[in-house]
Amino acid sequence: MKTVLAAAIALAVGGNAAPAPQITESPLAGPEPPVRSSVFDGPTAHGAFSGEATTTGALSKPALAPSIAPLPPLPVTYTNNNGELQAPVMPVPYQPAGGIGTNGTEPYYHPLSDFDYESFVVALYQEWIELDLFHDGLAKFSEQDFTDAGLTAEDRSLIEFMANQEVGHATLLSNILGPAAPPQCTYNYPYTTVREFLDFCQKLTRFGESGVYGFLGHLDSQAAATLLLQSISTEARQQMIFRQFDGLHPMPVWFEVGIPQSWAWTLLAPYISSCPANTTRVAWQNFPALTVLNQPNPAKLNPNLGPDQAATGSNPLNATTRSPLADAPRYAMFVSQLNATYVPLVNITESGASAVQPNMSTFAGDPAVNGTIFISITSQNPYLTPYNLSMINPFVYAGPALYQAG
Ligand SMILES: *[C@@H]1O[C@H](CO)[C@@H](O)[C@H](O)[C@H]1NC(C)=O
Ligand SMILES: *[C@@H]1O[C@H](CO)[C@@H](O)[C@H](O)[C@H]1NC(C)=O
Ligand SMILES: *[C@@H]1O[C@H](CO)[C@@H](O)[C@H](O)[C@H]1NC(C)=O
Ligand SMILES: *[C@@H]1O[C@H](CO)[C@@H](O)[C@H](O)[C@H]1NC(C)=O
Ligand SMILES: *[C@@H]1O[C@H](CO)[C@@H](O)[C@H](O)[C@H]1NC(C)=O
Ligand SMILES: *[C@@H]1O[C@H](CO)[C@@H](O)[C@H](O)[C@H]1NC(C)=O
Ligand SMILES: *[C@@H]1O[C@H](CO)[C@@H](O)[C@H](O)[C@H]1NC(C)=O
Ligand SMILES: *[C@@H]1O[C@H](CO)[C@@H](O)[C@H](O)[C@H]1NC(C)=O
């Protein structure tokens, strides 16, 4: 790999340059950035938690209703069927009318609601674990272990670089949140080999990425959303790299799936064993866990060979956070690409059930079920599309589980 360190950059422009903009002091004061020492202090502690927790459970306030009632769409104030500019004027030459934050308003790169704040909180918990995880794999396994798994010195150096990217992501999100941004925690990882480490990395980055896509378009602060997208696009590249290290096709789908914050938190929380006292808590739901018993195993030559077991299994009976609307397990909800599809559960037992993987497509025969699918057990089957997916939350009985069909 060659890097150009210093080079003269010659630029030629056709017309007269615009006058230099006048830079003035910002009148908008955001929250203070947090004081962080853990970022550069090396790995945090690892392993299971022993002791007595000072705080558990989600942050909460009284709820107005058990579920969100559907509403009709807002009036549509714009249509364009002829490709012409529809407004009579433009704000400036070459800038079509409209857009959010395009009229000179100074950007405010911080949360503008509890929804924004809590979305960034769960995203920051995710960035912190990634920062620790990528370092942990490099520290835990020897050069020989990586070589035996088919990875070179350059591959290890790329993992190290990805860990450093997480320093940037965690700093950005901490600064967006301000003084109460959560710090790094203690983590408990399930891998014991390099192959398992790589597979865990591609799974963890997968739900981190999908968790952000689920809320990005709903944020009140579009300015903060822009910065988050710029970091999550890097995370999406990390996910593809870990998939390839894992021997998988990097992106066997046409669209990347988005999931609600509570789904991402449910998938992330089991790997956090504890956090320092007074760590800012999360308001999202941690649903009862769901396990796919016959998850394809990427470490096998034929991922379909393995013990013959039920399609999905869960242990949902001891759930205490569950909504009263999630009264019984009835459907397996497959969330993939652009689609949410419900399959009736069969062979329901005390701790599990089965469902047949649906055969459906996004467009032009592209199989929707490929790559990563998120499966939840639900009590109802409302019709949902990517932008109103979180309306399922009160009906989630267990899950999601991450299922990788390809
Ligand atoms: C979700 O949005 C779709 C349109 O994209 C709509 O048809 C559906 O009714 C909505 N679901 C609910 C529960 O409101
Ligand atoms: C500029 O646009 C924002 C929304 O993007 C709006 O809230 C604000 O009122 C606009 N300001 C002016 C002066 O039109
Ligand atoms: C998933 O995508 C890969 C890559 O395009 C393809 O080889 C495989 O057949 C697909 N699987 C299914 C079930 O469509
Ligand atoms: C946690 O917060 C409480 C109340 O602000 C404070 O008294 C206590 O010292 C804090 N504990 C730690 C470990 O920071
Ligand atoms: C639920 O929890 C109780 C107490 O911990 C335990 O005895 C029981 O086996 C659990 N039930 C299931 C289905 O896991
Ligand atoms: C449900 O159980 C029956 C009887 O054991 C079995 O034949 C069937 O394949 C099961 N269904 C699924 C979807 O696993
Ligand atoms: C899935 O559906 C497609 C299109 O209807 C069909 O060609 C294909 O055979 C189906 N695959 C399976 C496994 O049923
Ligand atoms: C999946 O979503 C795409 C895009 O909205 C739509 O064209 C397709 O019909 C959906 N498929 C199913 C089975 O719902």
Side-chain angles (χ1 to χ4, degrees):
M1 217 187 309
K2 288 208 171 61
T3 311
V4 178
L5 288 179
I9 299 176
L11 298 172
V13 292
N16 291 332
Q22 300 295 308
I23 312 281
T24 52
E25 272 298 298
S26 162
L28 290 171
E32 290 282 306
V35 180
R36 285 275 171 254
S37 59
S38 51
V39 181
F40 302 104
D41 280 358
T44 62
H46 296 108
F49 177 71
S50 66
E52 216 170 296
T54 50
T55 316
T56 58
L59 202 58
S60 169
K61 284 271 168 79
L64 292 174
S67 65
I68 304 282
L71 288 173
L74 291 173
V76 175
T77 55
Y78 180 82
T79 53
N80 189 336
N81 292 317
N82 61 7
E84 297 292 334
L85 294 171
Q86 308 291 308
V89 292
M90 295 175 110
V92 290
Y94 305 106
Q95 183 174 315
I100 298 170
T102 57
N103 63 0
T105 309
E106 181 172 328
Y108 182 70
Y109 294 109
H110 300 285
L112 288 169
S113 60
D114 284 348
F115 181 93
D116 285 9
Y117 190 88
E118 290 296 328
S119 299
F120 275 94
V121 162
V122 77
L124 179 54
Y125 271 96
Q126 176 81 30
E127 301 295 0
W128 281 131
I129 195 173
E130 285 167 7
L131 169 57
D132 179 71
L133 169 65
F134 303 164
H135 281 309
D136 186 65
L138 291 172
K140 191 167 280 173
F141 303 111
S142 69
E143 236 179 274
Q144 190 60 46
D145 293 335
F146 276 97
T147 307
D148 292 348
L151 273 76
T152 65
E154 290 200 345
D155 296 332
R156 289 198 312 279
S157 144
L158 180 54
I159 295 173
E160 181 69 40
F161 187 80
M162 293 194 282
N164 293 338
Q165 291 175 324
E166 295 307 323
V167 173
H169 297 176
T171 303
L172 176 78
L173 268 58
S174 300
N175 290 350
I176 286 174
L177 281 167
Q184 260 191 307
C185 295
T186 298
Y187 306 109
N188 199 13
Y189 299 128
Y191 50 82
T192 54
T193 66
V194 170
R195 287 300 304 255
E196 287 171 1
F197 162 67
L198 298 172
D199 191 55
F200 183 67
C201 287
Q202 67 89 4
K203 288 185 159 91
L204 185 117
T205 49
R206 172 75 269 164
F207 61 70
E209 184 191 339
S210 286
V212 168
Y213 297 150
F215 69 70
L216 206 50
H218 292 286
L219 290 172
D220 289 300
S221 175
Q222 283 293 299
T226 296
L227 296 185
L228 181 57
L229 178 61
Q230 289 176 279
S231 59
I232 217 62
S233 305
T234 297
E235 184 155 329
R237 287 158 169 77
Q238 296 174 344
Q239 204 269 343
M240 282 169 46
I241 286 164
F242 282 118
R243 273 185 70 93
Q244 286 179 295
F245 282 168
D246 207 7
L248 299 172
H249 188 294
M251 42 170 188
V253 288
W254 290 3
F255 304 95
E256 301 302 334
V257 58
I259 52 170
Q261 298 94 333
S262 291
W263 293 36
W265 180 236
T266 298
L267 291 165
L268 171 60
Y271 306 110
I272 302 174
S273 33
S274 65
C275 296
N278 289 355
T279 293
T280 291
R281 289 155 67 196
V282 173
W284 307 108
Q285 191 168 1
N286 184 357
F287 292 111
L290 179 68
T291 311
V292 175
L293 296 180
N294 55 351
Q295 179 86 254
N297 182 346
K300 289 182 180 169
L301 285 179
N302 182 343
N304 294 322
L305 292 182
D308 188 19
Q309 285 169 316
T312 62
S314 68
N315 182 15
L317 297 182
N318 281 0
T320 53
T321 57
R322 191 187 292 140
S323 137
L325 299 176
D327 59 336
R330 297 192 182 91
Y331 304 94
M333 181 194 198
F334 286 71
V335 178
S336 70
Q337 302 205 40
L338 301 172
N339 302 88
T341 305
Y342 303 89
V343 178
L345 291 174
V346 295
N347 297 348
I348 302 172
T349 68
E350 277 228 325
S351 65
S354 297
V356 176
Q357 180 175 316
N359 179 16
M360 55 179 187
S361 87
T362 55
F363 299 112
D366 165 51
V369 179
N370 205 340
T372 301
I373 293 103
F374 295 90
I375 302 176
S376 283
I377 301 299
T378 66
S379 60
Q380 302 294 326
N381 59 347
Y383 175 61
L384 297 168
T385 53
Y387 201 58
N388 65 4
L389 193 68
S390 64
M391 287 174 81
I392 195 63
N393 283 347
F395 306 100
V396 171
Y397 191 85
L402 184 150
Y403 173 60
Q404 291 189 315

